[in-house]
Structure formats: C-alpha cells, structure tokens
Amino acid sequence: MSIRIKNGHVIDPDTRKDGIYDILVEDGLIKTVAPSIETEADQTIDASGCYVMPGLIDLHVHLRDPGLTYKETVETGAAAAAHGGFTTIVAMPNTKPVIDDEHKVAFVHNKARGCTPIHVLQAGAVTRGQKGEELADIENMAKAGAPAISEDGKSVMNSALYRKAMRIAKECGIPVLAHCEDINLVEGGVVNADENMKKLGLKGISNAVEDVIVARDILLAKETGVKLHLCHCSTADSVKMVEEAKKEGIAVTAEVCPHHFTLSTDDIPGPDPNYKMNPPLRSRQDVEALRQGLKADIMDVISTDHAPHSAEEKSRPITEAPFGIVGLETSVALTITELVEPGILTPMQMAEKMSYNPAKVLGIDKGSLAEGKAADITIIDPEAEYVIDTSAFRSLGKNTPFHGKKVRGLVKATISDGQIAYLESADRRPYAVRPKADAKPLPKKQEEAQA
Ligand code: DOR
Ligand code: ZN
Ligand code: ZN
C-alpha cells in the first residue's frame, strides 16, 4: 500500500522542514519527502492548504478498558483518537482492575492490536491497585512495553514509596507521569477556590492542592534523577516551578490541557458538570501564565486528559458527578483556535508540543517526518471553520463544555504506520465546514498575539 500526499505544508520539528512538500509513503514508512513527487501511488491525498505534521501523540488519555467500558473502550477511544489526529496515545492505568502488572498491560496492548491501526501504549500504575501502599510490578510492566508509570487520578502521598518507584522507573528507563494533587488539601472541593465558587455555593480546590505536590515531585526527581513529566498543569506557580527546575537542569517536562488554556473559572455558566474536571478551571491569570508558559517553551506538551464519563454520570448534581471531560476530538481545533491563530504558538511549536516533545518524553522513535521513519502522519486544515458537535464524536463520552463552540482547525487525515486510520473525505459524519469564501476571520486576540 502506497500513499502520496501532495502539496501539503510540511511542518516537521525533527528535520525543521517548514514548507510545501509532497510525501510518499510506502510499506508503512516515509519513503520520500520532496518538493514534488511524480511517482504514482495506490492513493493520493491532496493536502493543499493543510498542515502535514508528524502523527500527533497524546500522553494522557483515559480509555476505561478493562472494567468501565460503558464509558469508553480501547476501540472507541482509539477511533476518537484517530478522528482527532492522534497516531499514538498513552492510556492511564486507573481502570477496573487497575493496570498494575504485566498481564494487564499486555491485555490492553493485545486488544488495541486487534482493533486499531494507531498505537495505544498502556502506562502502568505506581502502586498495587492504586492504593498507595505497596509498589506495582514496575519492572515487569516496563518489560511488557509500558512506556511510563503513573498514579493518575491521584498522587502517591507516601513520599518514601514514590521515591522508591522513581528509582525503579529510572533503572527501567521510563518516565513518571505525575498527577499532582495533595489529597489532604482537597477538602471536598469541586471547582477552583474563588469568588465564582462562592456564587455557585460549592467548595473550592485551591492552587496549593496542585502546587505543593509539584514542588515535592520536582525535589524527588532532583534526588532520584528520574525523568519526571508533570500532568495537566493548571496554575501559574506550576509554570514558575517548572521554569526554575529546568534552569537547575532537573529532568522535568510538563503538559497543559486545552481546557486549561482555553477556559477560566469565569467561563463556568452555572453548576454544569461538563465544567468539572481535576485539576479545575483556574483564574484568568493562571490561564494567561499557562499560555505564556507554552509560548516560551517552559511547558513542553499539549495533552488532553481525555476523561469520558456516561451521560447519566454527568447528569448528576455537580457535587456528585465525576471529574473529567473528553478531549481527543477537540484538541487540534482548540490548539489552533486559541493558540496558533492568535499568534501565541507557531505551527512548528504546535507540532513540537503535540508530537515531537511527547515522543521525547517517552523516548520513542516517533514525532518525525524524516525519510525512513514509520509513516505516522496527521493532515490538518487550519482554516476550516465549523462548530464542535458531540454527535460527530467517536468517543462514547460526550462530556465536554465545548459543544457548540465555533472553531478552526479540522483533521483531514490520520495515517498510522502507513495505514489510513481516519480520512475526512470518506467520513460518514463530517462536520459542516463553512465554505472558505464566506468564512469570516475569527476575532484575533490582539493583546495575546502581542504578548
Ligand atoms: O478530571 C479528571 N478525570 N482528572 C483526573 O485526574 C482523573 C480523570 C478520570 O479518570 O476521570
Ligand atoms: Zn490526573
Ligand atoms: Zn487523567
């Protein structure tokens, strides 16, 4: 099977190509990248006006398989990922049972091999059953192909146990993906601790809930030398601490989720559980610090924390509904609309934060469009304007605050190992894209573009 991608705007952080090229894919590999390729292929994709990036990588996804498959399965989650432009996703281990040994890692990997062309990498838990009492079998999970360990959903509150896990992870050559939340400081919080919380009559989650664990985890990484990756950073102080740690040469990287750089607590319209996630939406100053942190390359990665829940669960009162929103099918559009269009990120930085840097965090040979590499490729029309509609989602989860939001940036094709995992032109449920002729430019956020 060969594919020729014509006239795309190739944006490749690895080779630093940033211009119009054709790409020829053959036998699962990138055969040629050249200004013009005349060789006929089995399939030709016209990528005129589109970004052609190395396949996007999401370091933070909840697939709910095994055990919670009414929320999402490996198959539906992978289909959502392909629809969203991702060729590699890292699944978090807070399933039922928790992924805490090599057999459970293998279960997910085998299931993925049977149902999707994209790469599903299963992270292992840090502790058995995520109980925080004894370590999971980190070494054997790493041998079975777990690309990282993570206790996501919570923090390992026992610092001595966490330090031991970090030492083992370092030995195994895998990073620790850290969810930073001091459980003793949460005190029943539902949204950010501020004036809006008071208006809603809810309990708050203060910035310190995140910040004290970010500080601790950076210090433990400094001591152990493990590669520490901070998940879903939401506060201005997290950005500051990451900046300081990097200056000191500590092996720390950090991610920001689209909801945290798009919405602030001021945007919460009422007690709607689609605005409930952990960490919560923060203040406008925090949002601005996250945007500036991404722009300045202090924050390395954009990940989704895709957290599907059922309609029934999310229709409970906000105090009882579970934390989390879906993100795989809105991430590209939010990144383009909120960061690239206003000039906060260049398209090259987008490719770095959504593909090249995540590959570096995991130490995997991806995130590149160099000749000879595996053909993981994402094609995106950055100008296509449409309205996000959850009925187009492949995910079983429809829990998002972005339903009805007007955006730009549409995934046209997702190619994984040279196989077409998603093709918009062959799609049964395409978005109604506004014809380019009548598309009005989205309001530019001048203050931010100049910042
Ligand atoms: O909002 C969240 N949802 N945050 C988490 O840490 C866990 C996740 C989930 O598993 O639903
Ligand atoms: Zn988390
Ligand atoms: Zn998560």
Side-chain angles (χ1 to χ4, degrees):
M1 163 85 176
S2 60
I3 305 170
R4 184 170 53 152
I5 302 166
K6 288 291 289 174
N7 283 321
H9 178 180
V10 168
I11 302 165
D12 180 24
D14 189 26
T15 60
R16 304 309 292 178
K17 280 197 174 73
D18 191 346
I20 307 300
Y21 293 88
D22 290 356
I23 297 182
L24 183 65
V25 169
E26 239 176 54
D27 302 325
L29 303 178
I30 296 174
K31 177 112 192 287
T32 318
V33 184
S36 180
I37 296 172
E38 295 311 322
T39 320
E40 288 298 325
D42 298 327
Q43 186 159 4
T44 295
I45 298 175
D46 177 12
S48 307
C50 293
Y51 297 158
V52 178
M53 293 185 174
L56 305 183
I57 301 174
D58 191 342
L59 290 184
H60 196 136
V61 171
H62 295 271
L63 291 182
R64 315 303 193 193
D65 197 344
L68 300 163
T69 48
Y70 65 95
K71 295 178 197 254
E72 194 81 290
T73 68
V74 170
E75 186 168 5
T76 58
H83 186 220
F86 295 96
T87 54
T88 300
I89 56 176
V90 175
M92 288 295 156
N94 62 338
T95 48
K96 218 173 166 180
V98 165
I99 309 293
D100 57 6
D101 67 34
E102 69 274 25
H103 306 291
K104 294 171 192 144
V105 170
F107 168 84
V108 175
H109 287 170
N110 288 336
K111 204 162 179 185
R113 255 178 241 120
C115 71
T116 175
I118 75 153
H119 311 279
V120 175
L121 307 178
Q122 178 62 56
V126 179
T127 73
R128 256 192 213 293
Q130 289 192 301
K131 290 204 173 89
E133 290 160 4
E134 50 175 328
L135 292 183
D137 195 345
I138 297 169
E139 216 178 319
N140 279 321
M141 290 193 294
K143 278 190 196 142
I149 52 168
S150 179
E151 199 80 332
D152 191 61
K154 49 175 122 169
S155 292
V156 178
M157 290 308 300
N158 180 334
S159 303
L161 195 65
Y162 206 22
R163 184 171 63 178
K164 204 165 155 194
M166 286 180 175
R167 288 190 177 128
I168 298 170
K170 184 181 158 67
E171 278 293 303
C172 297
I174 56 172
V176 173
L177 313 180
H179 168 114
C180 298
E181 176 187 14
D182 187 326
I183 198 69
N184 302 310
L185 296 177
V186 177
E187 294 180 328
V190 174
V191 292
N192 190 47
D194 60 22
E195 285 305 311
N196 294 315
M197 154 207 95
K198 287 186 199 150
K199 273 187 229 152
L200 291 166
L202 298 168
K203 289 187 182 160
I205 302 169
S206 73
N207 286 26
V209 171
E210 173 171 320
D211 297 337
V212 298
I213 301 294
V214 167
R216 180 200 71 168
D217 288 2
I218 288 173
L219 293 170
L220 291 176
K222 179 179 174 177
E223 186 171 310
T224 59
V226 77
K227 266 173 84 175
L228 175 70
H229 177 74
L230 301 170
C231 298
H232 47 50
C233 294
S234 73
T235 70
D237 282 318
S238 285
V239 179
K240 268 193 213 159
M241 287 188 274
V242 171
E243 184 175 22
E244 284 307 310
K246 285 185 169 179
K247 275 190 204 149
E248 258 203 62
I250 301 167
V252 61
T253 52
E255 70 189 29
V256 183
C257 301
H259 47 277
H260 289 129
F261 65 63
T262 301
L263 297 174
S264 81
T265 168
D266 294 348
D267 298 312
I268 303 177
D272 177 350
N274 282 331
Y275 290 79
K276 179 182 181 182
M277 70 289 284
N278 191 16
L281 300 175
R282 299 291 191 183
S283 71
R284 267 191 246 157
Q285 292 89 309
D286 289 308
V287 173
E288 194 48 33
L290 296 173
R291 289 176 173 228
Q292 292 308 317
L294 285 164
K295 183 182 173 77
D297 292 332
I298 296 164
M299 308 309 269
D300 311 271
V301 168
I302 294 171
S303 71
T304 64
D305 199 2
H306 177 79
H309 294 294
S310 72
E312 184 282 315
E313 288 167 318
K314 278 296 204 183
S315 65
R316 295 176 194 164
I318 192 166
T319 46
E320 283 147 50
F323 287 95
I325 64 168
V326 290
L328 283 168
E329 291 162 278
T330 50
S331 183
V332 160
L334 292 170
T335 301
I336 288 176
T337 307
E338 298 293 323
L339 302 179
V340 178
E341 279 246 336
I344 296 168
L345 292 188
T346 62
M348 184 63 79
Q349 282 180 300
M350 173 179 168
E352 285 166 1
K353 290 173 205 295
M354 297 187 76
S355 179
Y356 184 77
N357 293 348
K360 287 276 169 290
V361 170
L362 298 181
I364 56 175
D365 187 20
K366 295 199 171 295
S368 166
L369 291 176
E371 290 174 356
K373 298 284 182 186
D376 288 0
I377 304 171
T378 302
I379 303 174
I380 299 163
D381 180 347
E383 282 175 23
E385 188 177 295
Y386 60 101
V387 172
I388 291 173
D389 182 345
T390 55
S391 68
F393 286 3
R394 272 58 171 165
S395 173
L396 295 182
K398 313 295 175 193
N399 47 308
T400 173
F402 298 116
H403 175 72
K405 183 178 166 71
K406 189 158 106 180
V407 289
R408 280 206 185 168
L410 185 73
V411 174
K412 302 293 275 188
T414 308
I415 299 167
S416 183
D417 279 337
Q419 279 179 264
I420 293 182
Y422 172 71
L423 186 63
E424 196 244 2
S425 58
D427 186 20
R428 285 176 291 115
R429 297 176 278 180
Y431 276 111
V433 174
R434 217 170 157 172
K436 276 211 177 100
D438 6 308
K440 293 196 182 62
L442 289 181
K444 287 255 182 203
K445 293 179 185 157
Q446 282 305 335
E447 336 73 77
E448 287 155 4
Q450 281 154 14

